[in-house]
Amino acid sequence: FWGYLLHKHGTVTPGLFIICLASTILISTIFVDYRHYIIPNGYSLLMLLLGVGYMLTHIDQWKNLLLGGIVAFLIFLLLMVFSGGNLGGGDVKLSAGIGLFIGLKGLMMYLMLAFLFGAFTSLALLMLKIKDRKDNIPFGPYMSIAFLYILL
């Protein structure tokens, strides 16, 4: 993935290096959350720190990026409260870090992609009888995939 991003952008900048590090954390999140139903606090903290670093490398967009982090956090917090525990705290914390990268302007596209990826995959898992309606399906992988898709 790093190779693709470096080829796409041509020049290594501090912002691109930070995005590459964030993509590594999110790729790991896909596997950890899918297998263990948890997003480690360290992953969320690293995403927050990298998001702040990214914001500092794009200082002309700092308001948009900061608002993206705050609004993403609040949306996922509300979803957690109203989902009856189906969305976890790890998803909420991770959303803040991701929001710092995509900003308020990209947030709607990101949310749409994350929920579409999650819905289609969940539907396929149910139809193939890999999961049933009572099984939990982690959302962190779809949050991560949506972010990585936006990077492409």
Side-chain angles (χ1 to χ4, degrees), residues 2 4 27 36-37 45 60 64 69 83 89 112 122 124 134 139 148:
W2 279 39
Y4 173 78
I27 289 169
H36 301 288
Y37 298 91
L45 179 60
D60 57 321
N64 171 49
S83 73
M112 182 185 71
S122 297
K134 295 180 183 176
F139 194 61
L148 296 170

Side-chain angles (χ1 to χ4, degrees), residues 124-132:
L125 291 171
L126 292 170
M127 288 174 61
L128 296 170
K129 302 209 186 283
I130 295 170
K131 298 271 188 180
D132 78 20

Side-chain angles (χ1 to χ4, degrees), residues 65-138:
L65 298 173
L66 181 61
L67 282 173
I70 293 168
V71 171
F73 177 81
L74 292 174
I75 288 171
F76 277 83
L77 182 62
L78 286 172
L79 288 171
M80 182 180 80
V81 169
F82 292 112
S83 73
N86 289 324
L87 192 72
D91 300 316
V92 175
K93 291 179 276 187
L94 184 65
S95 71
I98 290 174
L100 290 174
F101 283 92
I102 59 175
L104 190 58
K105 292 177 184 175
L107 188 59
M108 291 312 294
M109 174 64 79
Y110 167 75
L111 291 170
M112 182 185 71
L113 288 171
F115 286 104
L116 283 175
F117 290 151
F120 287 134
T121 304
S122 297
L123 185 61
L125 291 171
L126 292 170
M127 288 174 61
L128 296 170
K129 302 209 186 283
I130 295 170
K131 298 271 188 180
D132 78 20
R133 295 181 62 209
K134 295 180 183 176
D135 290 333
N136 287 330
I137 298 174

Side-chain angles (χ1 to χ4, degrees), residues 38-58:
I38 189 167
I39 299 172
N41 286 332
Y43 287 18
S44 298
L45 179 60
L46 282 171
M47 284 299 294
L48 276 172
L49 293 174
L50 290 170
V52 169
Y54 182 78
M55 192 171 58
L56 293 174
T57 64
H58 293 79

Side-chain angles (χ1 to χ4, degrees), residues 25-35 43 140-142 144-145 148:
I25 293 166
L26 292 176
I27 289 169
S28 180
T29 299
I30 292 168
F31 295 102
V32 171
D33 195 26
Y34 185 78
R35 189 164 196 27
Y43 287 18
Y142 310 109
S144 300
I145 290 168
L148 296 170

